């Protein structure tokens, strides 16, 4: 049974309600804006969502009260047909619905549910998730269940205390032309549905849940006019095939409580991607939209049960309400970006990058890996293989002929990202030295796969946004591979990739110079420099070279390589990797000044005076290798060597000092975590990893002062999402509390690390 | 060779450039708005179109001067990635193009071309048309040629007098995400292309047309950034896969004249319709978008030649420039609405209804029939058959128990359409009597086929817009069938449809009452009344019953049935049809008062005092039966019987009197034709038929006063289109000179009647 508890904080925010792998969201929640069913887009869709009730039968002269998920202006599509026509015909169109006020609404937000109560109405969306089975090993029935491109919703109208009928409705007013009523059999005459062309639709049936025995025969009715009210009330022609606003309604007699179950689904049958031609894997298991909707209604009870079980699981976790909220919100948006394709008859897993729709951005993938491995490790293998076969490249590194730091003009505001490269930077002389393998930032964007060996994002001759992330992505593939091994012990996969792993180590070595990590830029950057995933942050996290974040991540990568070579039986390489890990760790430890680490280890660099919390991010991986038993040691033994112990102590002290900084340079005014002391950009997904390391690796939560900082931060982070990014659902990149970029984003799923 | 002459009138209007049957338009021409490639939509698409040149090489610090087919604001898509970033990076983005002023541009507009000259640039779009062969009888090669879902364009840069290079470009800045560069082979390395996902794209190659011998090797280059200028000038990364504005450019050395040939095409591979599942027939003949673009470039020379020949043909017609303009404009928009599908492995012809996208609206089809029969009669048969098998129905007629006229309250402004039915109308008692077969208004809308026997448009219980058009559509199917026979003499088709033709006559008789035409409303209207195709006009053309327009159209239908029964060898039915024709003609003639015919033959009806020019519309059909030789008589012999001669005289006098009305109630202030003396609504397609009947059937052009009225009207009609409907390309429904509805419309193709 449901354990739903109303939110005590803000309730007016959008949530994505998504099946797995269908790149589909049913989005609603933010008052006064459009949403509804969106396919293959990085933002809320373009329908007005009417969910409401009339205190009377469908024709009653009573207001349609609705949840506030619509712009509110009456549709004027009818006017297009009625030129030079004054008042009379307009008289037919009643004013649109009246929204429930925010204080009349209670909202509960669970891991797999989202529920609103207002007046005698309860509307809940169910979007359960779970393992996607490996298609090569699973029955069609199991795949159908897992890949059903639909969510379930339920509209309950309680008229047990009423003395006359009430009427419930669900309608979507479309901006684009093409809605229609479904005339195919949805599994019995009591079911009613509507669709948008061939691609998306809603089907419904109504049941009596009064629980007092004798049931009449509840039934749903369809309508489609140019507004919800016009449709529901129209006596003669409730369905006009030219209408923009299809919907489904039902009347509830006095004394009754009815539930309308809704299947909200999609079906795209044709290949949808270019470059690599892919169609949705669900097309293997479903014949068309009607099949999707029919089977979703058939399975609705199971879907609801599964959702409630997931809600209960999160509720049972030893986390604060704020933390649970963030995890639930992250999970909702995560699945909205997922896209399981079939390419060359093989499954091909894609997570789209939120509003940007870049495909399998590798610096997101590495963050998603913990979640994926908990649910469906085969998609991680799929991803690793696809990067190797399609999106890897070999470069050289640049060895500048002048001094070791860039000649960038450093006289600008350090809180701003680096300026575009100037002529001096572009013409700076360098020689090349061997580089090695690395991986592309992404596989393409907006369903267009990039050409082989190329990302949609990376460009030459830049020093910040859109430059190459060669070392960062080398770390990311390595860490993803090691996590995959840690979880699955799939050494047969590892052995097939022996050569790649060897190339990876060589590539790290070639890039690491004297100190062992990220000393050179890829020649792919031409006159530019490599950047990190924090692409629009300031100097503290922009450049790769001599960056503390990169250093610790490289250290983690060497720990990862040590384990991979161990399993490959290559003791020498394993040993070398461990030596490099210790070398880098020692180097990092040596950089500490007054208990904190500079962001950039270059004294002339403006980033030298920045303090960044993501310094510790890399620690999450060796912890995972230990925790999963893969490393064969306890988590604290990760730091057994002298150098690594020194780095551990330095990072821990760094973290503690920053969190407790009396000047509060690492928190925002609202208490939220500020990743860099010199930038107002913060990424919620990265904060989540940082907090996990802080609590679990360093145990800093034991310090009540730190715990208090984190508690305040959690609360601020909820406000960032539910208020600062209310329209954009889950948002990653926050500027001073407002969701400014990386919106509608999957990566905050890193918050799920907090659960176990 | 081209016979292009610059337009002397307004040049700032959109034109649709469309292949046949692909429901695709490349639209441009209206300054300051978006256009580009639109698929399956009833309006201009959403791209900014940049066609221009730089006086210098691509990197030159000179303004990009463009034709004014863009909104003008620089794209800000890049900003999404660059949060909290001030001036520096913006410095990279140059201001966008500068448009040529209207007085710097010359535009020529031919039957199959559209051409702009500005500075050293000439841009021409070629959209030839011709017979679509019957797929069951034609080679794949011929079908590929006819159904190529693409148009050709050519950008010529003349640098013969220059002393440094010039650069030409063509780029489309997209509103929706998903553009990409084409990496497939387009037929040689000199060809470059870009696309929007899988569905639309542009490919190009450049040739030296200087004609002075020695040619270097001209080549095109691709680019894609966030604006046209940014893309063309970017040295390091001209292609960013995240860009919104793909384009193609070429440099022209001093002394040279280069032409870039462009293939602008589309390809939708999946089924696109619901209800009846149809995909584009061109998918039989083309494998994908690349195939379309490659073969279009291969065939470009032929396409250009064919277009020029069509231009020359229209130019040679004995018509005024205004008339030629209207025909050319109508033809451009006509093909933009055409959609040749494959359903159940059979071709299925659809003409979409302009901005409304209703499919095969029968009251449009009947107007398109002359054009179709001139080009591809088999699509008319296809349409007739599809109406019979999917979109016909059988009704009863209503016989009111009270008096013969409706009880509508007649006290409102007669220039306004009838009000919605009041309670008295809705509850007006009637008995039913046998009705018979008729045909639906349309087959669905926006790619959603309506359920069998039902249109998307018609609804019950209405008295104006959206009511049933039962008698009108019965006429329309009959007249279309007879025109088909007239042109093809396909008696084997007729014999297969003998039963239908018999049912049609019976249906006419049942609806005709004492006087023989349209005395009863269909019981499909329930409490409403039938309307005519002039659905948003006033009382003068709203109701079907006792309407002079319907009377004459019914007369024409009886003439049609007479010929059909003649060919079926049913002398008795043929005779009966002719008797009815004469009966109706006599009745019409008897209604004349003071030399004009009332619009509605009911003295209590406000339409009684209206005067309508479409009274004569029906005369076009018997004229066609005679002219094609089908009737076996000369056109003037159509009016051989006494009653028909009387009607002819009445209609001719009616027309002459209205056109020369000293109060000018049948022309607008600008001289354009006003179809009803009491309404400001006018339809250009219907004016075109009216003018054809006026000139050809009545020979009224011989009257210099009438000729002068028509000449002035032609000029006004050009302004209606080129100014009053500048954004919406060809527009049918005009309110006082402004294109207000039925925009982006196919039906004005009736103007092609003027040619022969």
């Amino acid at each position: 049974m449901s354990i739903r508890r109303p939110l005590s904080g803000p309730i007016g925010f959008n949530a994505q309600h998504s099946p797995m792998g269908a790149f589909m969201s049913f989005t609603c929640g933010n008052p006064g804006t459009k949403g509804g069913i969106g396919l293959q887009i990085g933002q809320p869709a373009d329908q007005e969502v009417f969910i409401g009730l009339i205190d009377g039968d469908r024709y009653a002269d009573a207001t349609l009260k609705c949840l506030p998920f619509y712009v509110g202006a009456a549709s004027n599509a009818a006017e297009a047909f009625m030129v030079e026509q004054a008042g009379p015909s307009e008289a037919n169109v009643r004013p649109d619905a009246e929204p429930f006020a925010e204080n009349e609404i209670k909202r509960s937000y669970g891991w797999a549910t989202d529920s609103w109560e207002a007046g005698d109405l309860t509307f809940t969306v169910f979007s359960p998730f779970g393992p996607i089975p490996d298609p090569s090993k699973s029955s069609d029935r199991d795949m159908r269940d897992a890949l059903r491109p639909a969510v379930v919703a339920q509209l309950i109208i309680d008229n047990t205390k009423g003395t006359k009928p009430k009427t419930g409705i669900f309608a979507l007013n479309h901006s684009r032309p093409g809605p229609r009523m479904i005339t195919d059999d949805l599994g019995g005459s009591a079911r009613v549905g509507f669709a948008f062309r061939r691609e998306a639709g809603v089907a419904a049936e109504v049941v009596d849940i009064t629980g007092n025995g004798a049931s009449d025969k509840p039934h749903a009715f369809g309508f489609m006019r140019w507004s919800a009210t016009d449709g529901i009330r129209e006596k003669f022609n409730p369905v006009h095939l030219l209408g923009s606003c299809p919907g489904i309604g039902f009347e509830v007699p006095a004394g009754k409580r009815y539930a309308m179950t809704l299947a909200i689904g999609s079906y795209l049958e044709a290949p949808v991607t270019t470059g690599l031609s892919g169609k949705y894997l669900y097309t293997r298991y479903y014949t068309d939209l009607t099949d999707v909707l029919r089977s979703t209604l058939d399975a609705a009870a199971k879907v609801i049960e599964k959702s409630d079980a997931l809600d209960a699981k999160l509720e049972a976790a030893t986390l604060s309400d704020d933390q649970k909220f963030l995890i639930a919100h992250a999970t909702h948006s995560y699945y909205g970006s997922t896209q399981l394709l079939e390419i060359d008859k093989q499954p091909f897993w894609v997570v789209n990058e939120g509003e940007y729709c870049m495909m399998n951005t590798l610096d997101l993938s590495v963050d998603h890996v913990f979640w994926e491995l908990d649910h469906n490790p085969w998609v991680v293998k799929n991803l690793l293989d696809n990067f190797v076969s399609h999106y890897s490249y070999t470069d050289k590194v640049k060895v500048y002929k002048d001094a070791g730091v860039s000649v960038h003009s450093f006289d600008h505001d350090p809180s701003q990202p680096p300026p575009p490269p100037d002529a001096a930077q572009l013409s700076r002389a360098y020689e090349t030295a061997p580089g090695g393998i690395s991986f592309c930032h992404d596989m393409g964007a907006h369903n267009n796969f990039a050409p082989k060996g190329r990302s949609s994002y990376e460009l030459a001759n830049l020093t910040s946004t859109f430059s190459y992330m060669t070392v960062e992505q080398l770390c990311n593939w390595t860490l993803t591979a090691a996590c995959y091994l840690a979880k699955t012990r799939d050494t047969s996969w590892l052995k097939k990739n022996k050569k790649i792993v060897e190339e990876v180590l060589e590539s790290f070595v070639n890039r690491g110079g004297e100190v062992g990590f990220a000393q050179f830029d890829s020649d792919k950057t031409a006159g530019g420099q490599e950047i990190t995933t924090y692409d629009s942050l300031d100097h503290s996290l922009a450049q790769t070279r001599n960056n503390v974040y990169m250093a610790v991540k490289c250290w983690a990568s060497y720990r990862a390589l040590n384990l991979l070579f161990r399993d490959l039986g290559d003791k020498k390489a394993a040993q070398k990797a461990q030596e490099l890990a210790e070398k880098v760790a020692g180097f990092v430890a040596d950089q500490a000044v007054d208990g904190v680490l500079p962001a950039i280890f270059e004294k002339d660099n403006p980033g030298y005076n920045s303090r960044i919390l993501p310094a510790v991010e890399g620690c999450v991986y060796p912890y995972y290798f230990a925790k999963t038993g893969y490393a064969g040691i306890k988590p604290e033994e990760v730091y057994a060597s002298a150098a690594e112990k020194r780095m551990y102590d330095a990072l821990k002290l760094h973290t503690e000092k920053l969190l407790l900084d009396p000047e509060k340079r690492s928190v925002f005014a609202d208490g939220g975590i500020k990743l860099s002391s010199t930038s107002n950009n913060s990424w919620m997904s990265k904060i989540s990893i940082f907090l996990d390391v802080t609590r679990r690796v360093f145990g800093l939560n034991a310090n009540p002062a730190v715990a208090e900082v984190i508690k305040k931060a959690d609360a601020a982070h909820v406000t960032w999402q539910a208020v600062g990014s209310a329209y954009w659902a889950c948002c990653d990149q926050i500027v001073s509390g407002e969701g400014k970029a990386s919106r509608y984003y999957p990566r905050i799923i890193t918050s799920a690390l907090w659960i176990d």
Side-chain angles (χ1 to χ4, degrees), chain A:
Chain A
M1 273 309 295
S2 156
I3 43 75
R4 291 195 276 277
R5 287 187 295 128
L7 292 171
S8 55
I11 62 167
F13 59 88
N14 267 335
Q16 297 182 245
H17 308 99
S18 302
M20 301 189 292
F23 202 178
M24 164 198 158
S25 286
F26 173 73
T27 298
C28 62
N30 189 52
T33 52
K34 292 181 181 181
I37 308 173
L39 304 185
Q40 308 191 128
I41 51 171
Q43 61 181 71
D46 55 4
Q47 301 123 55
E48 295 189 286
V49 180
F50 291 91
I51 299 158
L53 86 170
I54 292 171
D55 189 16
D57 64 28
R58 63 182 290 190
Y59 307 118
D61 190 18
T63 308
L64 171 65
K65 293 266 290 186
C66 280
L67 295 173
F69 308 150
Y70 58 95
V71 174
S75 164
N76 59 2
E79 289 169 16
F81 286 88
M82 301 187 183
V83 185
E84 206 203 32
Q85 189 160 306
S89 79
E90 305 292 312
N92 254 357
V93 181
R94 288 170 183 256
D96 248 13
E98 180 185 309
F100 284 106
E102 189 161 322
N103 63 14
E104 295 178 283
I105 305 171
K106 287 178 188 165
R107 181 174 183 178
S108 312
Y109 196 48
W111 212 3
T113 69
D114 193 359
S115 190
W116 292 263
E117 274 186 70
D120 295 316
L121 162 166
T122 305
F123 178 75
T124 309
V125 191
F126 302 90
S127 51
F129 52 87
I132 300 173
D134 183 341
S136 68
K137 299 174 183 165
S138 309
S139 70
D140 281 10
R141 174 188 291 250
D142 287 348
M143 294 311 298
R144 261 176 82 92
D145 262 356
L147 297 183
R148 180 181 299 118
V151 297
V152 166
Q154 196 181 48
L155 175 60
I156 295 174
I157 302 292
D158 188 342
N159 199 15
T160 45
K161 293 178 187 150
T163 54
K164 59 182 179 183
K166 289 187 195 294
T167 304
I169 76 146
F170 177 93
L172 297 178
N173 196 14
H174 288 68
S175 300
R176 289 167 297 153
R180 64 183 171 101
M181 301 309 294
I182 295 175
T183 51
D184 298 333
D185 178 20
L186 285 163
S189 62
R191 292 180 175 180
V192 178
F194 64 83
F196 181 76
R197 302 196 178 210
R198 298 175 73 95
E199 69 189 48
V202 177
E205 67 183 343
V206 181
V207 289
D208 182 347
I209 55 169
T210 319
N212 61 2
S215 167
D216 55 356
K217 278 188 188 162
H219 68 279
F221 54 84
F223 56 86
M224 182 164 79
R225 300 279 299 189
W226 283 318
S227 78
T229 43
D230 185 21
I232 196 162
R233 292 193 163 109
E234 168 63 33
K235 272 204 172 76
F236 303 120
N237 305 289
V239 172
H240 192 178
L241 299 184
L242 296 173
S244 62
C245 187
I248 307 167
F250 61 108
E251 290 177 344
V252 187
K256 291 288 183 184
R257 191 163 169 267
Y258 282 5
M260 176 162 74
T261 306
L262 298 147
I264 303 173
S266 66
Y267 192 87
L268 293 173
E269 64 208 288
V272 292
T273 58
T274 69
L276 302 169
S277 180
K279 58 182 180 177
Y280 283 92
L281 189 65
Y282 63 63
T283 59
R284 262 198 209 168
Y285 309 104
Y286 289 91
T287 54
D288 56 22
L289 181 63
T290 308
D291 186 18
V292 169
L293 297 177
R294 188 196 305 114
S295 77
T296 303
L297 283 182
D298 292 345
K302 275 199 304 187
V303 168
I304 292 172
E305 190 183 339
K306 197 171 165 190
S307 303
D308 286 342
L310 285 161
D311 278 11
K313 191 172 169 189
L314 183 62
E315 184 67 16
T318 52
L319 294 166
S320 72
D321 282 357
D322 287 338
Q323 291 166 336
K324 288 175 190 169
F325 173 86
L326 287 164
I327 293 167
H329 201 42
T331 308
H332 275 82
S333 277
Y334 180 73
Y335 281 109
S337 282
T338 59
Q339 181 177 39
L340 183 53
L341 298 171
E342 177 176 66
I343 293 176
D344 288 337
K345 299 187 179 165
Q346 296 300 314
F348 197 115
W349 175 251
V350 176
V351 180
N352 288 277
E353 192 180 340
E355 64 169 313
Y356 308 125
C357 293
M358 282 182 278
M359 301 155 86
N360 284 335
T361 304
L362 183 49
D363 44 306
L364 270 71
S365 303
V366 71
D367 292 335
H368 302 157
V369 73
F370 309 109
W371 179 265
E372 301 294 14
L373 290 173
D374 270 357
H375 293 87
N376 21 247
W378 73 269
V379 311
V380 175
K381 179 171 72 171
N382 186 270
L383 182 98
L384 290 163
D385 287 342
N386 287 329
F387 267 105
V388 169
S389 54
H390 299 290
Y391 295 102
S392 56
Y393 61 85
T394 302
D395 68 349
K396 292 192 167 63
V397 298
K398 302 195 296 181
V399 184
Y400 289 113
K401 291 184 174 172
D402 55 17
V405 297
S406 93
V407 293
H408 241 309
S409 57
F410 286 148
D411 53 359
H412 77 291
D413 179 357
S415 76
Q416 294 296 311
D422 54 24
Q425 167 71 16
L426 289 174
S427 61
R428 200 173 166 198
Y430 62 81
E431 288 170 339
T432 58
I437 194 172
S438 189
F439 302 88
C440 301
H441 171 272
D442 59 72
M443 299 187 178
H446 296 292
N447 280 8
N448 292 321
F449 279 100
K452 203 170 163 128
R454 185 169 165 191
S455 72
S456 69
Y457 178 96
E458 290 156 313
L459 301 176
N461 287 303
L462 294 174
T463 50
S464 72
T465 315
F466 300 134
S467 184
Y468 279 82
M469 299 188 187
T470 308
V471 175
E472 167 104 55
Q473 306 301 3
L474 183 63
C475 290
N476 291 337
W477 190 91
T478 308
L479 293 166
T480 303
C483 288
Y484 173 68
L485 261 291
K487 187 72 175 194
T488 64
R489 314 294 159 91
D490 182 358
T491 48
S492 100
W493 177 86
L494 180 62
K495 281 173 185 160
K496 273 186 229 154
N497 286 278
K498 180 164 185 284
K499 195 169 154 291
I500 303 298
V501 176
E502 288 166 354
E503 286 178 31
V504 162
L505 177 57
E506 189 190 346
S507 185
F508 267 111
V509 169
N510 287 345
R511 292 167 209 284
E514 295 278 309
V515 294
F517 76 95
Q519 298 302 298
F520 308 110
D521 290 315
S522 170
D523 68 342
K524 292 263 183 192
T525 65
Q529 67 174 7
E530 283 181 38
I531 57 168
T532 75
T533 184
Y534 296 85
D535 60 354
S536 54
L537 224 148
D538 70 357
H539 277 99
S540 63
L541 271 163
Q543 77 172 45
T544 311
R545 283 171 294 103
N546 287 316
N547 184 306
V548 64
Y549 157 75
M550 286 307 304
V552 178
K553 206 159 172 181
C554 286
W555 162 75
S557 300
Y558 290 131
R559 296 288 310 214
L561 286 166
N562 166 265
L563 295 167
L564 297 178
F565 282 114
R566 178 199 70 188
D567 282 5
L568 287 167
D570 185 340
K571 284 186 187 164
K572 200 174 144 195
Q575 174 68 22
K576 181 165 184 188
Q578 179 56 29
E579 283 166 8
L580 282 161
E582 292 176 25
K583 183 177 182 177
V584 172
F587 184 83
V588 169
D590 288 345
Q591 307 305 314
V593 179
D594 299 333
V596 292
L597 291 156
I600 305 291
F601 305 148
E602 296 170 356
K603 286 189 180 155
D604 297 338
N605 191 304
Y608 185 78
N609 293 312
S610 299
R611 304 290 175 257
I612 58 170
L613 297 171
V616 309
E617 187 179 310
C619 298
V620 75
Y621 302 100
Y623 177 83
Y624 187 78
F625 306 148
K627 170 178 91 158
T628 50
Y630 183 54
I633 54 175
K634 292 181 190 156
E636 56 272 25
E637 291 171 330
V638 169
Y639 304 96
S641 76
E644 285 165 300
K645 179 71 172 67
R646 283 205 298 127
M647 182 180 75
Y648 174 89
D649 291 340
L651 288 170
K652 182 176 175 180
L653 183 58
H654 171 86
T655 305
E656 192 165 24
K657 287 196 76 149
L658 292 193
L659 286 178
L660 301 179
D661 173 18
E663 292 180 50
K664 301 197 173 188
R665 285 168 296 187
S666 294
V667 291
F668 288 98
D670 61 7
I673 298 293
K674 195 158 180 278
L675 289 175
S676 165
S677 62
T678 48
S679 171
N680 286 326
N681 269 315
S682 235
W683 276 261
M684 190 59 224
S685 61
K686 294 302 200 181
I687 292 171
S688 299
I689 300 178
F690 160 76
L691 289 174
D692 192 56
V693 171
T694 300
R695 286 190 282 236
R696 210 183 303 267
V697 177
F698 300 141
L700 279 171
N701 224 32
N703 177 339
V706 171
E708 186 56 30
V709 169
I710 291 179
K711 192 179 160 196
K712 265 193 75 175
D714 285 337
H717 300 155
V718 169
T719 304
W720 289 1
Q721 298 297 331
V723 179
S725 176
Y727 173 70
W728 284 95
C730 203
C731 178
D732 201 11
Q733 191 177 352
I734 307 286
V735 178
S736 307
E738 205 177 326
K740 283 280 194 184
S742 297
R743 300 166 294 192
Y744 222 60
Y745 217 64
R747 177 151 74 169
I748 305 91
I749 197 66
T750 49
S751 58
L753 279 166
W754 305 339
I755 296 176
D756 61 357

